[in-house]
């Protein structure tokens, strides 16, 4: 079955190790935050409810491989905490497509983000085979913290925070990001509300003088 008509999500439990990422990087600060959140939920016996509310959307590709479309940070956090199984919502079956056509379809629908930790587009074959191989992009962490601080709004646009990460990458240097994150966050908030960010998804307005 392809995408010719409405698709009712199919829910199933799968091993995290069997999920293929559709992106190359995450923000490790955000992963660590999700790890802490997971540990708190375990202490309050809310872990199962949390997993049920955070299903990972995926598509079935060639050779019945599952490709995850979102929640890469959560999947990595759970993997690092020793969780082996997650609940997946299968939103499309594309196993009939040749691998090249499958990846082209994902790319054309903005379901693929083959960009490395320096913001450079890479070939599809460079995508990691396991969430444990996702690399750190510290500007993606900055983008997440700027959003949570009210710098811009959460949107449904896929990979929106990576667009913000690339924006901050052009304005905030790696040394400041590594050694003075709080200062980088303050600058990020100012940048997010400036005219320079007008084109980005979730833009929240111009900073008042």
């Amino acid at each position: 079955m392809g995408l010719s008509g409405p698709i009712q999500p199919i829910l199933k439990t799968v091993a995290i190790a069997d999920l293929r990422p559709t992106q190359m990087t995450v923000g490790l600060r955000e992963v660590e935050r999700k790890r802490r959140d997971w540990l708190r939920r375990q202490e309050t016996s809310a872990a199962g409810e949390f997993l049920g509310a955070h299903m990972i959307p995926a598509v079935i590709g060639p050779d019945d491989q599952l490709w995850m479309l979102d929640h890469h940070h959560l999947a990595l956090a759970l993997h690092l905490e020793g969780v082996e199984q997650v609940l997946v919502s299968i939103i499309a079956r594309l196993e009939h497509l040749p691998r090249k056509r499958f990846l082209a379809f994902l790319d054309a629908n903005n379901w693929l983000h083959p960009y490395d930790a320096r913001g450079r587009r890479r070939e599809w074959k460079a995508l990691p085979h396991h969430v444990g191989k996702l690399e750190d992009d510290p500007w993606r962490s900055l983008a997440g913290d700027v959003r949570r601080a009210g710098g811009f709004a959460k949107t449904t646009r896929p990979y929106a925070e990576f667009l913000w990460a690339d924006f901050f990458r052009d304005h905030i240097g790696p040394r400041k990001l590594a050694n003075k994150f709080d200062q980088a966050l303050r600058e990020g908030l100012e940048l997010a509300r400036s005219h320079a960010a007008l084109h980005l998804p979730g833009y929240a307005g111009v900073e008042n003088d």
Side-chain angles (χ1 to χ4, degrees):
M1 181 178 66
L3 293 177
S4 57
I7 297 174
Q8 295 298 322
I10 302 171
L11 308 182
K12 61 186 296 185
T13 301
V14 302
I16 293 177
D18 291 338
L19 293 172
R20 282 292 303 271
T22 50
Q23 63 194 51
M24 302 183 70
T25 65
V26 291
L28 285 185
R29 286 178 65 97
E30 188 160 337
V31 172
E32 290 303 314
R33 183 179 62 81
K34 290 184 180 296
R35 290 181 73 176
R36 294 192 296 271
D37 186 37
W38 171 252
L39 289 173
R40 286 195 299 269
R41 292 178 183 278
Q42 282 189 309
E43 293 172 356
T44 60
S45 302
E49 180 180 346
F50 176 79
L51 289 178
H54 292 80
M55 294 175 289
I56 295 178
V59 297
I60 301 177
D63 300 320
D64 292 325
Q65 176 72 62
L66 285 170
W67 293 72
M68 57 190 302
L69 301 181
D70 200 0
H71 296 329
H72 289 72
H73 290 80
L74 175 61
L76 179 54
L78 294 173
H79 168 67
L80 293 173
E81 288 301 318
V83 177
E84 295 182 354
Q85 302 281 328
V86 289
L87 190 61
V88 169
S89 173
I90 300 173
I91 65 171
R93 300 187 64 101
L94 301 170
E95 66 268 37
H96 61 286
L97 293 177
R99 181 180 177 82
K100 182 178 180 180
R101 300 303 178 199
F102 169 74
L103 291 171
F105 181 89
L106 295 188
D107 210 353
N109 283 274
N110 205 17
W111 286 355
L112 206 63
H113 192 78
Y115 292 82
D116 65 17
R118 295 174 61 184
R120 302 172 303 181
R121 183 176 174 92
R122 302 287 298 279
E123 295 183 8
W124 296 328
K125 64 182 180 181
L127 288 164
H129 288 248
H130 186 281
V131 294
K133 299 296 184 180
L134 289 164
E135 297 182 356
D136 180 35
D137 180 351
W139 285 273
R140 174 59 182 81
S141 290
L142 178 62
D145 279 15
V146 169
R147 181 183 63 77
R148 278 186 291 277
F152 61 93
K154 188 176 181 63
T155 76
T156 58
R157 180 170 175 174
Y159 306 109
E161 290 183 0
F162 280 101
L163 295 177
W164 283 94
D166 287 335
F167 173 68
F168 295 135
R169 198 188 318 275
D170 292 338
H171 293 84
I172 299 175
R175 287 187 179 180
K176 181 176 292 184
L177 196 55
N179 302 318
K180 299 179 179 180
F181 189 85
D182 289 344
Q183 182 179 341
L185 177 58
R186 290 193 295 271
E187 291 186 18
L189 284 167
E190 294 178 3
L191 285 165
R193 294 166 182 151
S194 70
H195 286 285
L198 275 168
H199 63 289
L200 291 168
Y203 178 75
V206 179
E207 181 78 6
N208 294 323
D209 294 333

